[in-house]
């Protein structure tokens, strides 16, 4: 049986629309890959296995499933963006372990587009370094685990590069999407100011923007359209 882990977001969404695969099956394949690989890679601070499976079932039950641009697509979220019901640790032991009461607007938009939050990814202490070595874990480069995945969105980049999620959500003030994208061989984009909602508690003095990490330009465009709450791109 072919695993859906390692497939692109566009392929997954198309297959879910066609009924070839269910969101639960897609998620289960990615959870199995995380279980197999993440002990060496260290992409995730926390994996939302049970909650994400329930989320996948809720996506499958939506009446507008065939219209969702990210139907059943797992997404890895950087651990400085609130995910409802999960703590936001920002790579530090000094932060609160209390669960967030609501999603960050970018997370809410991805979920509205049909994506499933598979877990929160490791970051360096307070996201201030260009590598991802922190108290909650060290994100290693999946291509060579002796090397760094970069930072500070290194956990999200490692997850995508290892096929543990087709999409990663991160942010970039001074290279925090672009550095790990370059390290891990991904497409990473820092959007222009105001393109994607920030709401990062000041956003690094106005320098930080939220954006996508993906394996293909098509997937990055698809994710960016959800983050900007715009119609999904059409093929030329």
């Amino acid at each position: 049986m072919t695993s859906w882990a390692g497939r692109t977001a566009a392929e997954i969404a198309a297959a879910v629309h066609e009924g070839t695969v269910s969101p639960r099956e897609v998620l289960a394949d990615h959870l199995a890959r995380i279980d197999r690989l993440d002990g060496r890679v260290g992409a995730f601070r926390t994996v939302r296995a049970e909650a994400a499976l329930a989320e996948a079932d809720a996506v499958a039950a939506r009446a507008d499933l065939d219209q969702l641009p990210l139907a059943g697509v797992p997404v890895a979220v950087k651990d400085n963006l609130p995910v409802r019901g999960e703590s936001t640790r920002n790579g530090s032991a000094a932060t609160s372990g209390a669960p967030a009461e609501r999603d960050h607007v970018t997370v809410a938009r991805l979920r509205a587009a049909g994506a499933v939050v598979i877990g929160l990814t490791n970051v360096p202490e307070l996201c201030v370094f260009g590598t991802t070595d922190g108290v909650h874990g060290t994100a290693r480069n999946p291509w060579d685990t002796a090397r760094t995945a970069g930072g500070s969105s290194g956990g999200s980049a490692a997850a995508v590069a290892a096929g543990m999620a087709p999409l990663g959500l991160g942010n970039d003030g001074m290279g925090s999407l672009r550095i790990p994208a370059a390290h891990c061989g991904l497409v990473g984009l820092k959007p222009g100011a105001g393109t994607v909602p920030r709401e990062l508690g000041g956003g690094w003095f106005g320098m930080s923007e939220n954006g996508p990490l993906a394996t293909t330009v098509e997937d990055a465009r698809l994710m960016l359209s959800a983050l900007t709450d715009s119609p999904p791109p059409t093929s030329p």
Side-chain angles (χ1 to χ4, degrees), residues 80-81 90 104 126-127 171-174 176 190 193-194 196-210:
N80 67 346
L81 293 166
N90 208 13
H104 187 273
L126 303 178
C127 297
N171 31 65
D172 186 321
M174 297 194 304
S176 291
K190 179 183 180 180
V196 174
R198 182 186 295 145
E199 296 184 12
L200 276 173
W204 269 53
F205 306 99
M207 293 189 295
S208 186
E209 302 291 342
N210 296 307

Side-chain angles (χ1 to χ4, degrees), residues 30-43:
H30 286 85
L31 289 172
R33 193 172 181 92
I34 291 170
D35 188 59
R36 187 168 71 253
L37 299 180
D38 203 42
R40 290 186 289 113
V41 175

Side-chain angles (χ1 to χ4, degrees), residues 1-102:
M1 182 182 295
T2 301
S3 173
W4 287 91
R7 305 287 285 273
T8 69
E11 289 175 318
I12 290 170
V16 170
H17 291 160
E18 294 165 1
T20 304
V21 67
S22 70
R24 172 175 275 264
E25 290 170 323
V26 170
L27 190 75
D29 281 353
H30 286 85
L31 289 172
R33 193 172 181 92
I34 291 170
D35 188 59
R36 187 168 71 253
L37 299 180
D38 203 42
R40 290 186 289 113
V41 175
F44 288 93
R45 177 181 70 82
T46 187
V47 178
R48 305 177 65 251
E50 292 186 15
L53 285 168
E55 199 171 309
D57 290 341
V59 169
R62 287 179 57 170
D64 59 347
L65 178 65
D66 62 343
Q67 302 298 315
L68 300 176
L70 296 176
V73 175
V75 61
V77 176
K78 185 175 181 177
D79 192 25
N80 67 346
L81 293 166
V83 172
R84 185 181 66 252
E86 304 292 341
S87 59
T88 310
R89 301 309 305 267
N90 208 13
S92 177
T95 52
S96 172
E101 294 183 0
R102 64 181 182 90

